[in-house]
Amino acid sequence: MAQQGSATPVDFKLIRPKNYFANERTFINWLQLAVTMGGLGLALLNFGGNGIRVRISAFVFETGALALIVYAYTMFWRRANRLQRGERGSWDDQVVPVIVVMFFIFATAINFGLTFHKKAYTPPVDNLSVVTMSWGLKQHH
């Protein structure tokens, strides 16, 4: 007879495929986020103009995307090795998602800041031609 309240040992090999697939899904989700971030950087480069401000913003997004790809790859292999060894413990990462959100806020703030700085800048007007606001006609002084 089995004792009441005694736990039966669980064979973790029975639930391993589920864990492997969860690891792969997590890896693919991180890669999707990295592709989105990289796409934002490429869109800035292609449609944002030719200035240094656009290149800085695009560089920030592309660097974040590459860092996210490296993180996803290393975490995938670390978790896969832990699964092969049958380790138990916490599998969640509470730090990196917060860092990714803060990075998106930072990169977006840089992009907006550089964009509005660009809009606020007015090039100096030479004394030869001045465009009037009412008609857009050039007047020579």
Side-chain angles (χ1 to χ4, degrees), residues 47-66:
F47 304 114
N50 295 329
I52 189 70
R53 295 172 179 97
V54 173
R55 290 188 180 134
I56 290 171
S57 296
F59 177 77
V60 169
F61 277 103
E62 293 297 326
T63 303
L66 290 174

Side-chain angles (χ1 to χ4, degrees), residues 6-133:
S6 67
T8 58
V10 176
D11 186 11
F12 284 98
K13 291 182 182 177
L14 296 177
I15 58 174
R16 260 190 172 170
K18 178 177 77 170
N19 292 336
Y20 280 117
F21 291 133
N23 189 26
E24 288 177 1
R25 279 192 310 272
T26 304
F27 175 65
I28 290 171
N29 286 335
W30 280 116
L31 288 181
Q32 286 176 341
L33 183 62
V35 167
T36 301
M37 192 183 297
L40 287 172
L42 287 176
L44 280 170
L45 278 177
N46 288 328
F47 304 114
N50 295 329
I52 189 70
R53 295 172 179 97
V54 173
R55 290 188 180 134
I56 290 171
S57 296
F59 177 77
V60 169
F61 277 103
E62 293 297 326
T63 303
L66 290 174
L68 201 55
I69 289 170
V70 170
Y71 166 76
Y73 182 76
T74 56
M75 286 307 294
F76 173 76
W77 283 110
R78 282 184 188 171
R79 289 176 179 161
N81 289 335
R82 285 182 66 188
L83 285 169
Q84 282 182 340
R85 291 190 300 262
E87 289 183 21
R88 297 180 191 163
S90 177
W91 294 84
D92 58 342
D93 189 359
Q94 297 177 352
V95 176
V96 173
V98 173
I99 291 173
V100 169
V101 169
M102 290 173 62
F103 181 81
F104 262 113
I105 292 170
F106 172 73
T108 305
I110 285 178
N111 188 27
F112 280 130
L114 291 175
T115 301
F116 289 131
H117 177 67
K118 177 182 170 183
K119 302 277 189 219
Y121 173 75
T122 56
V125 178
D126 61 345
N127 291 332
L128 296 177
S129 66
V130 175
V131 177
T132 62
M133 298 299 287

